[in-house]
């Protein structure tokens, strides 16, 4: 019953194969900047009520695809579903972001964390994946995702969102063995979680390492990259004869792209602080690149947005292996019409780089 993929530009670009234009999707493309999202969330009650109901998660995933000619869908869920499923009690306070009822701050708490069974506590995620796949009818590929072990650990040790990372860095510097136990447990859980998403129908995977960039170069390799590499090694990379591309995104990781490329992933997400041309030279054909317009460019005029799209396309240059995206998630106060201007500009202006 699986439909053949009608638009496979995203998959092809992540594998550096030929496409007629540069594919585009946007990080956080489903979410708060869309009035239809805000309405559905109000009707459902809360963000987690959307995530845990496969029909609603599917509806939210489809919302941006109805508005814009995007080349990929991304599962509507959150990276913090894993710590929630481990029993930490995720909740959201309006305006302050995510928080946990329990934080993980010592060896006892790390040891007490259960190994995740994705078919139990997170069945709502795999159910959402199969529901979305059915609804997409092969129109565009579905991206499944997880946070990186380090990024999840920051939320678990801090007990929520943080600005200065004092608790998690305190644990990392004072009790490195405990930190490594936590990261290793998370890596094992993420492997089974992502493989369950593939089993349910995810056609590509992305790992968000939102906070890897706050580490020193040495700590980045030891505490973030090493565990992402372990995950890449453990993932299902082919299903029904199709390669399942894996993208790693470390925000602020532009200086480590060559190390990231050596993990065996297919594609690297790049934020707007790195020049794509330089990034392309650094990875030397090993991986594809995704990015990297500054999300704040969507506050500029239509002309300025188009100009920036042209600049980024020219910076990557002619040829394959570029997935257009923002350098981070779309901001919640962006006018949805500006996203349309951005996406149409990529469609129109990228063709000449593929002739
Ligand atoms: O409606 C609401 O108020 C909730 C807002 C919201 C949304 C729409 C949250 C809470 N999460 C999401 C969805 C989400 N989160 C998706 C699927 C939607 C899509 O991309 O179309 C994805 C892929 C994520 C991933 C995510 N969650 C990341 C990694 C990517 C990134 O932006 O760096 C992170 C760090 C989170 C944590 C999180 N969840 C929610 C918020 C507001 C945050 C960020 C908190 C912080 O800044 O620390």
């Amino acid at each position: 019953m699986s439909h053949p993929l009608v638009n496979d530009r995203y998959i092809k670009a992540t594998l550096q194969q030929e496409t007629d234009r540069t594919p585009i999707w946007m990080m956080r493309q489903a979410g708060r900047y869309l009035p239809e999202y805000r309405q559905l969330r109000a009707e459902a009650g809360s963000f987690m009520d959307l995530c845990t109901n496969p029909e609603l998660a599917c509806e939210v995933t489809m919302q941006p695809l109805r508005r814009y000619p995007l080349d990929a869908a991304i599962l509507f869920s959150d990276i913090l579903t894993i710590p929630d499923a481990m029993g930490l009690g995720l909740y959201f306070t309006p305006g302050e972001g995510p928080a946990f009822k329990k934080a993980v701050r010592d060896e006892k708490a790390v040891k007490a964390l259960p190994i995740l069974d994705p078919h139990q506590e997170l069945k709502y995620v795999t159910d959402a994946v199969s529901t979305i796949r059915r609804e997409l009818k092969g129109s565009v590929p579905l991206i499944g995702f997880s946070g990186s072990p380090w990024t999840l650990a920051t939320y678990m040790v801090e007990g929520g969102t943080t600005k200065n990372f004092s608790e998690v860095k305190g644990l990392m510097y004072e009790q490195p063995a405990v930190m490594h136990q936590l990261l290793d447990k998370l890596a094992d859980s993420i492997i089974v979680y992502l493989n369950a998403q593939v089993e349910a129908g995810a056609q590509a995977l992305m790992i968000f390492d939102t906070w890897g960039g706050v580490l020193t170069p040495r700590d980045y390799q030891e505490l973030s990259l090493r565990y992402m590499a372990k995950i890449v090694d453990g993932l299902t990379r082919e299903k029904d004869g199709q390669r399942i591309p894996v993208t790693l995104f470390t925000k602020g990781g532009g200086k480590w792209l060559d190390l990231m490329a050596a993990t065996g992933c297919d594609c690297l997400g790049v934020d707007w602080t790195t020049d794509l041309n330089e990034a392309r030279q650094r990875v030397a054909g090993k991986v594809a690149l995704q990015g990297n317009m500054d999300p704040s460019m969507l506050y500029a005029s239509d002309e300025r947005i188009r100009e920036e799209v042209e600049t980024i396309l020219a910076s990557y240059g002619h040829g394959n292996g570029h997935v257009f995206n923002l350098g981070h998630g779309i901001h919640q106060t962006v006018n949805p019409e500006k996203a349309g201007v951005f996406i149409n500009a990529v469609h129109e202006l990228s063709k000449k780089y593929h002739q």
Side-chain angles (χ1 to χ4, degrees), residues 1 33-34 57 84 88 105 118 145 188-189 194 215 224 259 268 275 284-285 295 299 312-313 317 339:
M1 77 137 268
Y33 72 108
L34 291 176
D84 184 53
L88 298 193
R105 297 215 171 135
F145 70 90
D188 288 340
S189 294
L194 290 177
L215 292 166
S224 183
L259 298 172
L268 294 177
D275 182 78
Y299 296 116
I312 291 168
L313 287 167

Side-chain angles (χ1 to χ4, degrees), residues 25-32 37 41 46-48 50-51 60-61 64 74-80 92 96-98 145-147 151 155 160-162 208-211 249 251 328-329 332:
W25 69 284
M26 295 187 297
M27 285 195 268
R28 300 287 189 109
Q29 64 192 20
R32 292 172 287 186
Y37 169 82
R41 187 187 57 184
S46 73
F47 168 68
M48 279 312 278
L50 292 177
C51 287
V60 177
T61 300
I74 182 161
L75 162 70
F76 186 80
S77 189
D78 198 75
I79 63 166
L80 301 176
F92 288 86
E96 287 187 33
F145 70 90
S146 160
T151 291
Y155 288 97
T161 192
T162 178
F208 291 102
D209 186 30
T210 305
W211 303 121
F249 171 63
K251 182 156 177 280
H328 197 209
Q332 56 177 313

